[in-house]
């Protein structure tokens, strides 16, 4: 290490609050902090000590967040410098390469934040364009070095930064949206299992595309032959295109974003799929499902992939009502023997609670249903065992009684 160690800022934990950190959970909440020595500013590297002064980990400090520190390393001898990020990023990307995700596909999540030992850093790949999203003061501090390393390892045509998620406000960070390296092509495209999708990296949601649903979309394709499908919250048409390629008889897709629907229709053409079997509706799903019920419409397959209703556990109750409402309506719209793919990407709703909500919805709808698959994010969104919060996406494939 360079510099005088005793002058380096340090964070001391309250008695007993070292336990989760020793289990390698990567966050220190403000309530766990006994005192801070030195005068660190947000983004600075500091040492974490237990109350007796034993070293536990290296972390990035954040003065503005409920999460006072996000941990980089538990190895006292490991310097937090550009070489550290190079090692972590190389390991994350090599881990993806070993999963054979690139067959017929040009997109994947290269770095999944806490789960890859890089709290607050997301990097998604869409062909030769990388989109980087920064959600922590620590990554913000190392932003230029991280961009250089990405350029060095991946040699992309462009690194685009989409650091404009709402959660940045909670971290005391201002939004940023723009090119970080290279030149953004006029059109960005990602290929997923052979299907081509236009990705609006500058204005689209999240980093432009929902890579986490990749394998669940593929499962949809295998089950959609001859089905009348209803795809709710369709965004740019992900599940819809898979269902059409899988031989669905008809696919009705709903979303409240006109821009997303515009790209969805273009994606259909881009893949030479039969537009006569597809209908796109700009609609609020909560309203549209009631309308479909009142019209007596029914479907063989329904997909519910709503946005995050509960970013944290504090919103769980309100979110639970939202999930129950749409799932109850979906159960009523399903034909006997029909399939429901239902998802929640809310960090504040556990897998167990989600299943309970769905069970309540089925009961109130008066249908008997079985779980045939438990669904999760694709393997390029791994979950670190010490960070169960990384398992934000949960889903169920249900079959209602015939
Ligand atoms: N299934 C998609 C991702 C869904 S993201 C995929 O595979 O790519 C959630 C979508 O819900 C967004 O496109 C957003 O525009 C839409 N949305 C949010 N609230 C909505 C509402 N009340 N009614 C309809 N769509 C809504």
């Amino acid at each position: 290490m360079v510099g005088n160690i005793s002058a380096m800022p340090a964070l001391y934990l309250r008695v007993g609050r070292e336990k989760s950190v020793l289990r390698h959970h990567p966050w220190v909440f403000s309530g766990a902090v006994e005192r801070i020595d030195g005068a660190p500013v947000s983004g600075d590297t500091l040492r974490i000590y237990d109350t007796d002064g034993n070293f536990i980990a290296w972390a990035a400090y954040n003065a503005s967040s409920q999460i006072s520190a996000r941990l980089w390393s538990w190895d006292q001898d490991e310097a937090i410098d550009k070489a550290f990020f190079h090692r972590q990023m190389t390991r994350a990307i090599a881990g993806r390469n070993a999963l054979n995700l690139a067959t017929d596909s040009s997109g994947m999540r290269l770095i999944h934040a806490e789960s890859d030992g890089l709290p607050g850093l997301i990097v998604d790949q869409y062909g030769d364009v990388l989109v980087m999203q920064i959600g922590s003061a620590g990554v913000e501090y190392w932003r230029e070095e991280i961009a250089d390393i990405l350029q060095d390892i991946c040699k992309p045509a462009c690194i685009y930064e989409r650091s404009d998620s709402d959660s940045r406000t909670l971290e005391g960070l201002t939004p940023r949206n723009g090119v970080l390296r290279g030149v953004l092509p006029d059109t960005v495209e990602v290929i997923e299992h052979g299907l081509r999708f236009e990705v609006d990296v500058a204005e689209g949601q999240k980093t432009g595309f929902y890579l986490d649903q990749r394998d669940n979309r593929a499962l949809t394709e295998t089950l959609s032959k001859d089905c009348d499908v209803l795809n709710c919250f369709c965004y740019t048409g992900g599940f819809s295109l898979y269902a059409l390629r899988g031989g669905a008889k008809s696919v009705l897709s709903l979303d409240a974003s006109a821009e997303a629907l515009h790209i969805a229709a273009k994606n259909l053409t881009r893949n030479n799929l039969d537009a006569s079997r597809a209908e796109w509706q700009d609609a609020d799903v909560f309203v549209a499902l009631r309308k479909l019920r009142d019209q007596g419409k029914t479907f063989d397959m329904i997909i519910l992939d709503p946005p995050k209703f509960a970013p944290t556990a504090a919103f769980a109750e309100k979110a639970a009502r939202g999930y129950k409402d749409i799932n109850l309506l979906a159960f009523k719209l399903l034909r006997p023997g029909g399939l429901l793919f239902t998802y929640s990407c809310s960090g504040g709703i556990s897998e167990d609670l989600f299943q309970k909500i769905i069970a309540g919805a089925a009961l109130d709808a008066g249908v008997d249903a079985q779980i045939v698959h438990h669904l999760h994010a694709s393997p390029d969104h791994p979950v670190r065992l010490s960070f169960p919060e990384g398992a934000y996406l949960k889903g169920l494939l249900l079959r209602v009684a015939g």
Side-chain angles (χ1 to χ4, degrees):
M1 277 312 300
V2 188
N4 178 353
I5 280 173
S6 60
M8 191 167 263
L11 185 157
Y12 287 81
L13 296 168
R14 296 166 81 161
V15 183
R17 299 303 290 269
E18 70 287 353
K19 290 199 189 92
S20 82
V21 182
L22 286 171
R23 282 198 298 267
H24 286 205
H25 191 279
W27 294 347
V28 172
F29 287 97
S30 56
V33 179
E34 161 107 9
R35 69 168 209 276
I36 291 167
D37 281 2
V41 295
S42 290
D44 281 356
T45 301
L46 40 66
R47 291 156 175 265
I48 308 286
Y49 291 104
D50 70 12
T51 193
D52 298 325
N54 298 307
F55 174 90
I56 301 182
W58 294 103
Y61 179 60
N62 190 335
S64 315
S65 170
Q66 288 292 313
I67 303 172
S68 299
R70 292 182 193 242
L71 277 49
W72 293 130
S73 167
W74 284 259
D75 177 355
Q76 188 162 9
D77 298 328
E78 184 156 43
I80 307 306
D81 53 13
K82 188 171 176 181
F84 166 79
F85 288 96
H86 202 287
R87 279 194 302 280
Q88 298 288 83
M89 293 164 68
T90 304
R91 189 180 305 147
I93 293 166
R96 289 352 182 239
N97 291 339
L99 292 170
N100 299 322
L101 296 169
T103 313
D104 294 330
S105 300
S106 70
M108 70 179 87
R109 176 154 295 188
L110 295 178
I111 298 174
H112 190 40
E114 272 74 353
S115 290
D116 279 309
L118 292 161
L121 177 63
I122 284 173
V123 179
D124 285 342
Q125 177 183 11
Y126 303 119
D128 58 2
V129 173
L130 301 184
V131 184
M132 166 165 158
Q133 187 168 75
I134 299 176
S136 69
V139 173
E140 185 85 3
Y141 181 94
W142 293 99
R143 175 172 170 264
E144 289 296 333
E145 287 82 357
I146 288 170
D148 287 343
I149 296 166
L150 279 176
Q151 194 66 46
D152 179 42
I153 302 178
C154 304
K155 306 194 170 34
C158 177
I159 302 176
Y160 194 90
E161 184 176 0
R162 273 303 296 278
S163 296
D164 57 0
S165 76
D166 293 345
S167 60
R168 262 177 80 93
T169 327
L170 302 174
E171 299 299 304
L173 302 168
T174 50
R176 206 187 290 110
N177 180 343
V179 170
L180 193 52
R181 295 283 186 281
V183 179
L184 185 67
D186 288 342
T187 306
V188 178
E189 184 187 78
V190 66
I191 302 170
E192 196 189 73
H193 296 304
L195 285 170
R196 313 173 91 84
F197 293 91
E198 180 180 329
V199 183
D200 183 353
V201 300
E203 302 289 335
Q205 295 175 30
K206 300 224 284 188
T207 64
F209 194 68
Y210 290 86
L211 289 167
D212 52 1
Q213 289 285 24
R214 150 199 179 113
D215 289 359
N216 298 328
R217 293 189 193 110
L219 178 63
T220 301
E221 174 174 4
T222 65
L223 299 171
S224 55
K225 188 150 181 54
D226 297 327
C227 287
D228 288 316
V229 177
L230 173 63
N231 181 14
C232 300
F233 310 98
C234 68
Y235 190 48
T236 53
F239 286 101
S240 308
L241 265 59
Y242 277 84
L244 287 166
R245 193 172 67 172
K249 208 190 297 168
S250 72
V251 181
L252 173 58
S253 306
L254 312 174
D255 202 279
S257 159
E259 298 78 35
L261 288 168
H262 178 64
I263 296 179
K266 279 203 276 178
N267 284 338
L268 186 92
T269 317
R270 190 177 275 268
N271 290 283
N272 300 317
L273 289 162
D274 177 6
S276 70
R277 290 185 282 137
E279 188 185 339
W280 309 96
Q281 271 181 24
D282 184 346
D284 179 338
V285 165
F286 289 84
V287 177
L289 288 175
R290 289 180 163 76
K291 234 186 241 169
L292 290 165
R293 177 198 60 191
D294 295 344
Q295 291 165 352
K297 293 269 168 60
T298 57
F299 300 88
D300 302 299
M301 178 188 283
I302 299 181
I303 299 143
L304 295 176
D305 184 23
K308 208 193 290 174
F309 290 160
T312 65
F315 297 86
E317 210 180 299
K318 184 163 176 271
R321 283 198 293 276
Y323 287 120
K324 183 162 179 193
D325 188 36
I326 52 174
N327 281 279
L328 196 159
L329 288 159
F331 278 127
K332 285 189 180 283
L333 292 172
L334 273 174
R335 294 174 189 153
L339 294 174
L340 173 62
F341 283 88
T342 184
Y343 298 96
S344 162
C345 60
S346 294
I349 300 276
S350 69
E351 203 163 339
D352 185 47
L353 175 57
F354 186 57
Q355 188 172 319
K356 288 198 174 100
I357 296 167
I358 304 308
L363 190 70
D364 288 6
V367 304
D368 193 13
Q370 301 168 310
I371 298 170
V372 288
H373 278 286
H374 289 270
L375 307 166
H376 299 101
S378 296
D380 50 339
H381 296 60
V383 181
R384 201 176 188 179
L385 278 173
S386 58
F387 185 64
E389 293 89 335
Y392 65 98
L393 180 66
K394 68 259 348 158
L396 296 169
L397 173 56
L398 300 141
R399 184 174 48 221
V400 302

